[in-house]
Amino acid sequence: MKLPRVVIVGAGFGGIAAVKALTRAPVEVTIVDQHNFHTFSPLLYQVATAGLASEDIAPNLRGIVQRARNVEARMARVHGVDFDRHEVLVDHGVSIPYDYLILAAGAVSSDFGVPGVAEHAVPLKTLADATRVRSTVLRRFEEANTDPSLIEGGTLTFVVAGGGPTGVELCGALGELFTKVLAKDFKNLDVGRGQVVLVEMTDRLLGGFSAASQAEAKLELELRGVDVRLGVPIASVGPDKVELADGTVIPARTTVWAAGVKANPLADALGLAQATRGEIIVSPDLTVPAHPEVFVIGDLAAVQRPGGEPYPQLAPVAMQAGQHVARTIERRARGKRTKPFHYTDKGIMATIGRRSAVAELPFGIRFGGTLGWVSWLGLHLVFLIGFRNRAVVLVNWAWNYVKWDRGNRVILSDPE
Ligand SMILES: Cc1cc2nc3c(=O)[nH]c(=O)nc-3n(C[C@H](O)[C@H](O)[C@H](O)COP(=O)(O)OP(=O)(O)OC[C@H]3O[C@@H](n4cnc5c(N)ncnc54)[C@H](O)[C@@H]3O)c2cc1C
């Protein structure tokens, strides 16, 4: 008997959760990604600040599905879908036929139209971005070491745009990298002149967290020397300055853009109804209206929920959606009706630095400090894919903690 073919576009959190849930189902699965690895994005900031190497957080896709006999991995860039012929279109005119399609291509960084961001700021969305941030930061210190007069012009000033978890985590880690590691590396440079400026347009950090966690995050960042500027948007980014909407000019040669995302541009190419940030609008069971065999999950999807807020763009939402779609496909195969998707919120977390994190669980349970930090470490270790990756990350963390080290201080990319 010919088994139904399921094609999954994107090996991120949603795609991998779907593939894992389908490994024992009576289907043949093809998972397609433009990269040959899965990116564990919550730890990108640690790659950007030399705490981990790229490979530590990017398990190989073929390795992940190696033991699943009904799953094939393909490295290809998807640029369209022929919904009538049930084919996914990839590079070189190749097409991949499907009976069920799961679109899980995620999001990309969005500059929200702020002038200069595309040209002069570095996003922090992909593994390549993270190594670029790391190389840029380390190169700035080398430049200032060679010619300290450059510091006046902003060579050691690093602006981070966006006070969400990514911006907060990056700033805390940069502050610790400068004071605890680079201060020892650069013996003849006044590393204390290095500055991290966090700019957030709303009047609080960590939107979505409680006021207590937001205040704790701000205090902890300031203790790490981060200059936190709230309630002011960035007006423009230049090669050597950032202008704020209130007229303030910050001389800075490095800006990291962690201010927000929009749906992957693949969504624009599909001709389906889209929400404000480009996400594809899907029915409560995560299917595309008029195409019941096509599902959209994770950051790429805007789920229609009567009277409900949109689901947040978080890894657990994508993972639960991937599992839900896998169950739906199995139900369909048995001729059963589909069920709407409900996200079970198990809480949110953000880390600020060594022995400092905030965690909020359902029923108003909140904790921070060392307990929050240990919980954050444990949870991220559990969710990392692959024993080797977990072991390597654990050893790195232990080493960094004991030695106050960041062993991956390697400049890989060429100067801009
Ligand atoms: C820096 C950072 C930190 C984050 N921290 C957290 C956190 O601490 N906790 C949390 O819950 N969430 C966090 N998030 C959000 C979380 O990563 C996303 O919500 C989650 O990854 C969404 O999963 P997804 O499967 O929709 O997309 P993704 O995980 O982004 O996966 C999309 C996949 O699709 C592939 N792809 C894209 N376009 C194509 C194409 N055209 N052809 C083929 N393949 C394609 C990509 O290569 C990628 O592998 C963070 C995000 C970032 C950027």
Side-chain angles (χ1 to χ4, degrees), residues 323-334:
Q323 290 156 355
H324 178 87
V325 166
R327 282 194 298 269
T328 303
I329 290 172
E330 286 204 74
R331 288 176 68 83
R332 286 259 192 87
R334 284 193 250 113

Side-chain angles (χ1 to χ4, degrees), residues 10 12-14 33-35 41 78 104-106 166 264 298-299 313-316 318:
F13 283 96
D33 199 288
Q34 60 193 346
H35 300 124
S41 29
V78 174
T166 301
N264 189 298
D299 288 0
Q313 288 182 312
L314 290 173

Side-chain angles (χ1 to χ4, degrees), residues 8-17 32-45 61 74-80 89-91 103-108 124-126 129 165-167 169 258 261 264-266 297-301 312-319 343 347-351 376 380:
I8 303 173
V9 176
F13 283 96
I16 293 291
V32 189
D33 199 288
Q34 60 193 346
H35 300 124
N36 75 336
F37 54 83
H38 161 81
T39 305
F40 191 79
S41 29
L43 293 179
L44 280 174
Y45 84 94
L61 177 57
R74 287 179 72 161
M75 184 176 138
R77 198 175 142 69
V78 174
H79 57 77
L89 312 175
V90 301
D91 295 330
L103 294 168
V108 295
L124 186 54
K125 185 73 184 83
T126 65
D129 293 339
T166 301
E169 291 174 347
V261 294
N264 189 298
L266 176 62
I297 59 173
D299 288 0
L300 195 66
Q313 288 182 312
L314 290 173
V317 177
M319 289 161 77
Y343 169 58
I348 44 176
M349 289 179 144
T351 184
W376 184 94
H380 283 73

